[in-house]
């Protein structure tokens, strides 16, 4: 039991777990921002263009009854298909997917750039032909096997 607790502590203290926790927290906050963006900024103009449709109140009652708002239908206990809520959620997803796509694309571009810069740097070390140790480029004798280098 003690070893298991120690292993868990080691796992939890690794940087990846902490990075993941921070990512989840920021992702939750970002999700709220995107939800607000969709509900409060994106969907109202679209609803206006489509004839003053309020997407939050775009629903179908399966019983055939008519209600003015989704809240009224839910309060009456009617079974509804919440088309507007689904559309808002779909737009939320598309915005989040687009943002994540752009972020991943930029990170990959920066990694490739960094990798190319590393490859372009001139070598400062070489390999000893006798013991295969890494030694400074200007060395005349290997520090590991003391062989003379040509």
């Amino acid at each position: 039991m003690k070893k298991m607790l120690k292993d868990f502590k080691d796992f939890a203290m690794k940087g990846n777990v902490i990075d993941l926790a921070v990512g989840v927290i920021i992702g939750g906050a970002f999700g709220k921002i995107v939800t607000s963006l969709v509900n409060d900024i994106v969907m109202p103009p679209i609803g206006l263009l489509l004839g003053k449709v309020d997407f939050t109140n775009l629903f179908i009652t399966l019983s055939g009854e008519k209600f003015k708002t989704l809240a009224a239908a839910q309060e009456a206990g009617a079974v509804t298909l919440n088309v507007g809520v689904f559309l808002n959620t779909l737009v939320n997803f598309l915005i989040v997917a687009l943002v994540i796509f752009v972020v991943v694309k930029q990170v990959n571009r920066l990694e490739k750039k960094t990798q190319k810069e590393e490859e372009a740097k001139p070598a400062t070390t070489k390999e000893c032909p006798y013991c295969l140790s890494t030694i400074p480029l200007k060395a005349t004798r290997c520090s590991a096997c003391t062989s003379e280098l040509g």
Side-chain angles (χ1 to χ4, degrees):
M1 182 69 171
K2 215 179 230 187
K3 180 172 176 15
M4 191 166 76
L5 286 174
K6 182 188 177 305
D7 289 345
F8 178 75
K9 179 184 170 195
D10 292 343
F11 169 76
M13 294 316 243
K14 284 184 180 176
N16 293 344
V17 174
I18 294 170
D19 292 344
L20 179 63
V22 169
V24 168
I25 292 167
I26 290 174
F30 180 71
K32 289 178 183 178
I33 292 170
V34 170
T35 299
S36 177
L37 174 70
V38 169
N39 293 339
D40 303 327
I41 306 294
V42 174
M43 295 311 266
I46 292 173
L48 185 64
L49 289 172
L50 296 176
K52 297 184 180 179
V53 175
D54 180 8
F55 281 93
T56 56
N57 287 318
L58 186 60
F59 65 97
I60 301 168
T61 53
L62 297 180
S63 65
E65 296 177 69
K66 300 289 181 188
F67 297 95
K68 285 192 174 192
T69 65
L70 177 60
Q74 289 174 337
E75 190 175 302
V79 179
T80 60
L81 293 177
N82 304 328
V83 178
V85 174
F86 175 74
L87 288 174
N88 282 349
T89 304
L90 184 64
V91 172
N92 266 350
F93 169 76
L94 292 174
I95 290 172
V96 169
L98 176 67
V99 168
I100 289 180
F101 170 76
V102 168
V103 168
V104 168
K105 193 102 169 144
Q106 292 303 314
V107 167
N108 288 342
R109 188 178 64 85
L110 290 174
E111 284 178 356
K112 284 180 185 175
K113 185 178 177 181
T114 303
Q115 186 179 18
K116 285 180 183 177
E117 288 172 356
E118 285 293 322
E119 290 171 357
K121 286 182 181 177
T124 58
T125 60
K126 63 181 177 181
E127 201 173 75
C128 172
Y130 302 104
C131 70
L132 304 178
S133 296
T134 303
I135 54 175
L137 193 58
K138 294 181 180 179
T140 57
R141 190 176 282 270
C142 176
S143 60
C145 68
T146 66
S147 299
E148 284 192 41
L149 306 170

